């Protein structure tokens, strides 16, 4: 069985409060990373229908700051599936004064687990468009780079 990325697409929204802010007056990166991990986990659970664990956080890039009272939107999209693993792209945006800014991109590898916490096969990602194919091919390049790093 195959599944489309739209079947597991996930969004999470916050308004930044003082407790989310670090000593420099910006969103604390560790807080954002935990939100990113949750969004990736929910996306992967929706795709696989299984519990999942984070195997790898890859290419996490802070592109811009976020400040108190900003709206923060975090989105999760499956980009690639292996046998038991899935790559999820997580994008973070701020909205302030009606302007949206892309402030973070991360790729996480999530692994589906069975009842005994062993890796279990996941549905293959359905590729429907040229854009889906481009995103898949780029994910394959990251997967090969990760494999080289683990050698
Ligand atoms: C991730 C984990 C389940 C993999 O288990 P394993 O016994 O190594 O299983 P396998 O070798 O069969 O790997 C399973 C899949 O994970 C992938 N994988 C394992 N480690 C990986 C890594 N570091 N980076 C990317 N992918 C990885 C494998 O390529 C394989 O993918 P595939 O089935 O799509 O080909 C295991 O290493 C683990 O539980 N790690 C801890 C995860 C965790 O606790 N995360 C939360 C941290 S707070």
């Amino acid at each position: 069985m195959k599944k489309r990325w739209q079947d597991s697409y996930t969004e999470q929204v916050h308004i930044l409060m003082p407790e989310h802010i670090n000593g420099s007056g910006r969103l604390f990166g560790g807080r954002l990373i935990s939100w990113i991990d949750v969004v990736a986990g929910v996306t992967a659970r929706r795709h696989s229908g299984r519990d999942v664990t984070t195997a790898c956080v890859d290419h996490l890039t802070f592109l811009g700051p976020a400040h108190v009272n900003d709206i923060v939107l975090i989105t999760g999209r499956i980009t690639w599936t292996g046998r038991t693993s899935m790559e999820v792209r997580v994008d973070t945006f701020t909205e302030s004064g009606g302007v949206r800014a892309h402030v973070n991109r991360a790729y996480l590898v999530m692994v589906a687990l069975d009842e005994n916490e062993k890796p279990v096969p996941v549905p293959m990602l359905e590729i429907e468009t040229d854009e889906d194919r481009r995103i898949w091919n780029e994910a394959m390049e990251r997967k090969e780079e990760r494999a080289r790093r683990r050698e």
Side-chain angles (χ1 to χ4, degrees):
M1 184 193 61
K2 290 187 176 181
K3 283 176 87 170
R4 302 156 65 240
W5 67 264
Q6 292 91 340
D7 297 329
S8 56
Y9 178 76
T10 297
E11 290 189 347
Q12 187 188 69
V13 183
H14 303 269
I15 292 177
L16 286 195
M17 304 285 179
E19 67 263 29
H20 303 137
I21 301 302
N22 67 16
S24 306
R26 294 169 169 216
L27 170 61
F28 173 50
R31 172 75 70 156
L32 179 59
I33 290 169
S34 78
W35 287 342
I36 288 170
D37 198 28
V38 169
V39 170
V42 171
T43 308
R45 281 174 69 164
R46 286 175 167 169
H47 182 84
S48 64
R50 297 282 189 166
D51 284 348
V52 300
T53 191
T54 309
C56 177
V57 180
D58 201 7
H59 288 270
L60 187 138
T61 313
F62 290 98
L63 304 165
H67 299 101
V68 80
N69 208 36
D70 284 354
I71 296 169
V72 173
L73 169 69
I74 307 173
T75 66
R77 182 206 201 278
I78 297 272
T79 57
W80 169 89
T81 50
R83 196 178 79 84
T84 67
S85 66
M86 301 152 272
E87 188 192 71
V88 183
R89 184 182 77 196
V90 181
D91 285 305
T92 304
F93 305 88
T94 55
E95 290 176 13
S96 177
V99 177
R100 180 176 283 198
H102 189 194
V103 298
N104 192 284
R105 171 161 284 182
Y107 296 93
L108 292 88
V109 180
M110 313 300 292
V111 177
L113 300 177
D114 68 12
E115 299 70 18
N116 301 311
E117 298 189 29
K118 298 288 177 222
V120 63
V122 299
M124 198 174 169
L125 181 64
E126 181 103 62
I127 300 299
E128 296 182 310
T129 66
D130 289 347
E131 176 72 354
D132 292 348
R133 170 65 54 196
R134 185 185 66 75
I135 288 172
W136 173 283
N137 287 341
E138 287 179 7
M140 281 292 295
E141 288 175 18
R142 283 187 297 276
K143 175 205 151 31
E144 283 160 16
E145 188 187 318
R146 283 191 293 268
R148 280 196 293 276
R149 284 204 304 261
R150 288 162 63 205
E151 277 169 9

Short mmCIF file of all heavy atoms in Angstrom, two decimals, residues 28-37 40 54 56-64 74 87-92 103-108 142 145-146 149:
data_model
loop_
_atom_site.label_atom_id
_atom_site.label_comp_id
_atom_site.label_asym_id
_atom_site.label_seq_id
_atom_site.Cartn_x
_atom_site.Cartn_y
_atom_site.Cartn_z
N PHE A 28 14.14 30.43 22.06
CA PHE A 28 15.18 29.50 22.48
C PHE A 28 15.21 28.32 21.50
O PHE A 28 14.20 27.64 21.29
CB PHE A 28 14.88 29.03 23.91
CG PHE A 28 15.78 27.95 24.42
CD1 PHE A 28 17.16 28.06 24.32
CD2 PHE A 28 15.25 26.82 25.02
CE1 PHE A 28 17.99 27.06 24.79
CE2 PHE A 28 16.08 25.81 25.49
CZ PHE A 28 17.45 25.92 25.38
N GLY A 29 16.41 28.09 20.90
CA GLY A 29 16.53 27.06 19.87
C GLY A 29 16.15 25.67 20.36
O GLY A 29 15.55 24.89 19.62
N GLY A 30 16.48 25.35 21.62
CA GLY A 30 16.15 24.03 22.16
C GLY A 30 14.65 23.80 22.21
O GLY A 30 14.16 22.68 21.99
N ARG A 31 13.92 24.86 22.51
CA ARG A 31 12.45 24.76 22.53
C ARG A 31 11.93 24.45 21.13
O ARG A 31 11.08 23.58 20.94
CB ARG A 31 11.86 26.08 23.04
CG ARG A 31 10.36 26.17 22.94
CD ARG A 31 9.68 25.36 24.00
NE ARG A 31 9.89 25.99 25.30
CZ ARG A 31 9.08 25.83 26.34
NH1 ARG A 31 8.04 25.04 26.25
NH2 ARG A 31 9.34 26.41 27.48
N LEU A 32 12.48 25.19 20.15
CA LEU A 32 12.02 24.95 18.77
C LEU A 32 12.36 23.53 18.34
O LEU A 32 11.53 22.86 17.70
CB LEU A 32 12.66 25.97 17.82
CG LEU A 32 12.27 25.80 16.35
CD1 LEU A 32 10.75 25.91 16.16
CD2 LEU A 32 12.98 26.82 15.46
N ILE A 33 13.53 23.04 18.71
CA ILE A 33 13.91 21.68 18.30
C ILE A 33 12.93 20.66 18.88
O ILE A 33 12.55 19.70 18.21
CB ILE A 33 15.37 21.40 18.70
CG1 ILE A 33 16.32 22.23 17.84
CG2 ILE A 33 15.71 19.91 18.55
CD1 ILE A 33 17.76 22.25 18.31
N SER A 34 12.48 20.88 20.11
CA SER A 34 11.52 19.91 20.68
C SER A 34 10.18 19.99 19.94
O SER A 34 9.55 18.96 19.69
CB SER A 34 11.35 20.10 22.18
OG SER A 34 10.52 21.19 22.47
N TRP A 35 9.76 21.18 19.53
CA TRP A 35 8.52 21.29 18.74
C TRP A 35 8.70 20.59 17.38
O TRP A 35 7.81 19.89 16.90
CB TRP A 35 8.16 22.76 18.52
CG TRP A 35 7.63 23.46 19.74
CD1 TRP A 35 7.13 22.89 20.88
CD2 TRP A 35 7.57 24.89 19.95
NE1 TRP A 35 6.76 23.87 21.78
CE2 TRP A 35 7.00 25.09 21.23
CE3 TRP A 35 7.92 25.99 19.19
CZ2 TRP A 35 6.79 26.37 21.76
CZ3 TRP A 35 7.70 27.26 19.71
CH2 TRP A 35 7.15 27.45 20.98
N ILE A 36 9.88 20.81 16.75
CA ILE A 36 10.16 20.17 15.46
C ILE A 36 10.09 18.65 15.59
O ILE A 36 9.52 17.95 14.74
CB ILE A 36 11.55 20.63 14.95
CG1 ILE A 36 11.49 22.09 14.50
CG2 ILE A 36 12.07 19.73 13.84
CD1 ILE A 36 12.85 22.72 14.21
N ASP A 37 10.65 18.12 16.68
CA ASP A 37 10.66 16.66 16.88
C ASP A 37 9.22 16.14 17.02
O ASP A 37 8.88 15.07 16.48
CB ASP A 37 11.48 16.34 18.14
CG ASP A 37 11.90 14.89 18.22
OD1 ASP A 37 12.06 14.24 17.17
OD2 ASP A 37 12.08 14.40 19.36
N ALA A 40 7.59 16.21 13.51
CA ALA A 40 8.11 15.10 12.70
C ALA A 40 7.51 13.77 13.19
O ALA A 40 7.14 12.91 12.38
CB ALA A 40 9.63 15.05 12.78
N THR A 54 12.86 8.82 16.73
CA THR A 54 13.73 9.68 15.93
C THR A 54 15.10 9.02 15.81
O THR A 54 15.78 8.81 16.82
CB THR A 54 13.90 11.06 16.61
OG1 THR A 54 12.60 11.58 16.92
CG2 THR A 54 14.64 12.03 15.70
N CYS A 56 17.48 10.24 13.51
CA CYS A 56 18.50 11.22 13.11
C CYS A 56 17.83 12.58 12.86
O CYS A 56 16.76 12.63 12.26
CB CYS A 56 19.16 10.71 11.83
SG CYS A 56 20.38 11.80 11.13
N VAL A 57 18.47 13.62 13.36
CA VAL A 57 18.07 14.99 13.00
C VAL A 57 19.16 15.51 12.09
O VAL A 57 20.33 15.57 12.47
CB VAL A 57 17.94 15.91 14.24
CG1 VAL A 57 17.53 17.32 13.83
CG2 VAL A 57 16.94 15.33 15.24
N ASP A 58 18.75 15.85 10.86
CA ASP A 58 19.73 16.12 9.80
C ASP A 58 19.52 17.52 9.24
O ASP A 58 18.37 17.94 9.07
CB ASP A 58 19.48 15.09 8.69
CG ASP A 58 20.68 14.91 7.81
OD1 ASP A 58 21.74 15.47 8.11
OD2 ASP A 58 20.55 14.20 6.81
N HIS A 59 20.58 18.23 8.94
CA HIS A 59 20.47 19.50 8.22
C HIS A 59 19.54 20.48 8.92
O HIS A 59 18.71 21.12 8.27
CB HIS A 59 19.96 19.28 6.79
CG HIS A 59 20.97 18.65 5.89
ND1 HIS A 59 21.86 19.37 5.15
CD2 HIS A 59 21.22 17.36 5.62
CE1 HIS A 59 22.63 18.55 4.45
NE2 HIS A 59 22.26 17.33 4.73
N LEU A 60 19.63 20.60 10.23
CA LEU A 60 18.77 21.56 10.92
C LEU A 60 19.41 22.94 10.81
O LEU A 60 20.54 23.14 11.23
CB LEU A 60 18.58 21.15 12.39
CG LEU A 60 17.58 22.00 13.15
CD1 LEU A 60 16.70 21.13 14.03
CD2 LEU A 60 18.26 23.07 13.97
N THR A 61 18.68 23.87 10.19
CA THR A 61 19.25 25.18 9.89
C THR A 61 18.36 26.29 10.42
O THR A 61 17.17 26.36 10.08
CB THR A 61 19.39 25.37 8.35
OG1 THR A 61 19.98 24.20 7.81
CG2 THR A 61 20.26 26.57 8.04
N PHE A 62 18.94 27.15 11.26
CA PHE A 62 18.22 28.33 11.74
C PHE A 62 18.44 29.45 10.73
O PHE A 62 19.56 29.93 10.56
CB PHE A 62 18.73 28.74 13.13
CG PHE A 62 18.36 27.78 14.22
CD1 PHE A 62 19.27 26.83 14.65
CD2 PHE A 62 17.10 27.82 14.80
CE1 PHE A 62 18.92 25.92 15.65
CE2 PHE A 62 16.75 26.92 15.80
CZ PHE A 62 17.66 25.97 16.23
N LEU A 63 17.37 29.84 10.06
CA LEU A 63 17.47 30.82 8.98
C LEU A 63 17.20 32.24 9.46
O LEU A 63 17.62 33.21 8.82
CB LEU A 63 16.47 30.47 7.86
CG LEU A 63 16.59 29.06 7.28
CD1 LEU A 63 15.36 28.70 6.48
CD2 LEU A 63 17.85 28.98 6.43
N GLY A 64 16.46 32.37 10.58
CA GLY A 64 16.12 33.70 11.07
C GLY A 64 15.55 33.61 12.47
O GLY A 64 15.20 32.53 12.94
N ILE A 74 4.63 25.56 12.31
CA ILE A 74 5.58 24.48 12.04
C ILE A 74 4.86 23.43 11.20
O ILE A 74 3.77 22.98 11.58
CB ILE A 74 6.11 23.87 13.35
CG1 ILE A 74 6.67 24.97 14.26
CG2 ILE A 74 7.19 22.82 13.06
CD1 ILE A 74 7.06 24.49 15.65
N GLU A 87 11.86 9.95 5.93
CA GLU A 87 12.41 11.29 6.14
C GLU A 87 11.26 12.29 6.18
O GLU A 87 10.37 12.26 5.32
CB GLU A 87 13.41 11.67 5.04
CG GLU A 87 14.12 12.98 5.39
CD GLU A 87 14.89 13.57 4.23
OE1 GLU A 87 14.25 14.07 3.28
OE2 GLU A 87 16.12 13.57 4.27
N VAL A 88 11.28 13.17 7.18
CA VAL A 88 10.26 14.22 7.32
C VAL A 88 10.96 15.57 7.23
O VAL A 88 11.95 15.81 7.93
CB VAL A 88 9.53 14.10 8.68
CG1 VAL A 88 8.42 15.16 8.77
CG2 VAL A 88 8.93 12.70 8.88
N ARG A 89 10.45 16.42 6.36
CA ARG A 89 10.95 17.80 6.29
C ARG A 89 10.08 18.67 7.18
O ARG A 89 8.85 18.65 7.06
CB ARG A 89 10.87 18.32 4.85
CG ARG A 89 11.46 19.72 4.68
CD ARG A 89 11.31 20.21 3.25
NE ARG A 89 9.95 20.65 2.99
CZ ARG A 89 9.45 20.84 1.77
NH1 ARG A 89 10.17 20.59 0.71
NH2 ARG A 89 8.21 21.26 1.61
N VAL A 90 10.70 19.38 8.09
CA VAL A 90 9.95 20.25 9.00
C VAL A 90 10.37 21.69 8.75
O VAL A 90 11.56 22.03 8.87
CB VAL A 90 10.16 19.86 10.47
CG1 VAL A 90 9.33 20.77 11.37
CG2 VAL A 90 9.77 18.40 10.70
N ASP A 91 9.41 22.51 8.38
CA ASP A 91 9.65 23.94 8.12
C ASP A 91 8.98 24.77 9.20
O ASP A 91 7.86 24.47 9.62
CB ASP A 91 9.09 24.34 6.75
CG ASP A 91 9.95 23.84 5.62
OD1 ASP A 91 11.16 24.16 5.62
OD2 ASP A 91 9.44 23.11 4.75
N THR A 92 9.67 25.81 9.63
CA THR A 92 9.13 26.72 10.65
C THR A 92 9.05 28.13 10.07
O THR A 92 10.01 28.61 9.45
CB THR A 92 10.02 26.72 11.91
OG1 THR A 92 10.15 25.37 12.38
CG2 THR A 92 9.41 27.58 13.00
N VAL A 103 11.94 30.57 9.00
CA VAL A 103 13.03 30.74 9.97
C VAL A 103 13.79 29.44 10.27
O VAL A 103 14.87 29.52 10.90
CB VAL A 103 12.53 31.38 11.29
CG1 VAL A 103 11.97 32.77 11.04
CG2 VAL A 103 11.51 30.51 12.01
N ASN A 104 13.27 28.31 9.86
CA ASN A 104 14.01 27.07 10.14
C ASN A 104 13.60 25.99 9.14
O ASN A 104 12.44 25.92 8.74
CB ASN A 104 13.74 26.57 11.55
CG ASN A 104 14.71 25.46 11.97
OD1 ASN A 104 14.58 24.33 11.55
ND2 ASN A 104 15.70 25.81 12.78
N ARG A 105 14.57 25.17 8.75
CA ARG A 105 14.26 23.94 8.00
C ARG A 105 15.08 22.81 8.61
O ARG A 105 16.27 22.99 8.92
CB ARG A 105 14.58 24.10 6.52
CG ARG A 105 14.47 22.78 5.76
CD ARG A 105 14.33 22.96 4.28
NE ARG A 105 12.98 23.38 3.92
CZ ARG A 105 12.58 23.57 2.66
NH1 ARG A 105 13.41 23.39 1.67
NH2 ARG A 105 11.33 23.94 2.40
N ALA A 106 14.43 21.67 8.78
CA ALA A 106 15.12 20.50 9.32
C ALA A 106 14.60 19.25 8.63
O ALA A 106 13.44 19.21 8.18
CB ALA A 106 14.88 20.39 10.82
N TYR A 107 15.47 18.24 8.54
CA TYR A 107 15.07 16.94 8.01
C TYR A 107 15.33 15.92 9.11
O TYR A 107 16.44 15.87 9.67
CB TYR A 107 15.88 16.57 6.77
CG TYR A 107 15.64 17.50 5.61
CD1 TYR A 107 16.45 18.60 5.39
CD2 TYR A 107 14.59 17.27 4.72
CE1 TYR A 107 16.24 19.47 4.34
CE2 TYR A 107 14.36 18.13 3.66
CZ TYR A 107 15.19 19.22 3.47
OH TYR A 107 14.97 20.08 2.43
N LEU A 108 14.31 15.13 9.44
CA LEU A 108 14.45 14.13 10.50
C LEU A 108 14.15 12.76 9.92
O LEU A 108 13.21 12.61 9.11
CB LEU A 108 13.48 14.41 11.66
CG LEU A 108 13.78 15.69 12.46
CD1 LEU A 108 13.09 16.90 11.83
CD2 LEU A 108 13.32 15.53 13.90
N ARG A 142 20.36 12.98 0.40
CA ARG A 142 20.66 13.13 1.85
C ARG A 142 20.81 11.75 2.49
O ARG A 142 21.67 11.54 3.34
CB ARG A 142 19.56 13.93 2.54
CG ARG A 142 19.63 15.43 2.31
CD ARG A 142 18.62 16.17 3.16
NE ARG A 142 17.25 15.81 2.84
CZ ARG A 142 16.55 16.36 1.85
NH1 ARG A 142 17.08 17.31 1.12
NH2 ARG A 142 15.31 15.97 1.61
N GLU A 145 24.18 10.44 1.73
CA GLU A 145 25.18 11.19 2.52
C GLU A 145 25.18 10.67 3.97
O GLU A 145 26.23 10.47 4.58
CB GLU A 145 24.82 12.67 2.46
CG GLU A 145 25.85 13.59 3.06
CD GLU A 145 25.32 15.03 3.10
OE1 GLU A 145 24.70 15.48 2.12
OE2 GLU A 145 25.51 15.67 4.15
N ARG A 146 23.96 10.44 4.53
CA ARG A 146 23.87 9.93 5.91
C ARG A 146 24.52 8.56 5.99
O ARG A 146 25.24 8.25 6.95
CB ARG A 146 22.41 9.84 6.35
CG ARG A 146 21.78 11.16 6.72
CD ARG A 146 20.44 10.97 7.40
NE ARG A 146 19.42 10.43 6.53
CZ ARG A 146 18.55 11.15 5.82
NH1 ARG A 146 18.60 12.47 5.87
NH2 ARG A 146 17.64 10.58 5.07
N ARG A 149 28.18 8.85 6.16
CA ARG A 149 28.64 9.32 7.48
C ARG A 149 28.64 8.18 8.50
O ARG A 149 29.40 8.20 9.45
CB ARG A 149 27.71 10.44 8.00
CG ARG A 149 27.94 11.78 7.33
CD ARG A 149 27.47 12.92 8.23
NE ARG A 149 26.09 12.80 8.65
CZ ARG A 149 25.07 13.45 8.08
NH1 ARG A 149 25.29 14.25 7.06
NH2 ARG A 149 23.85 13.30 8.53
#
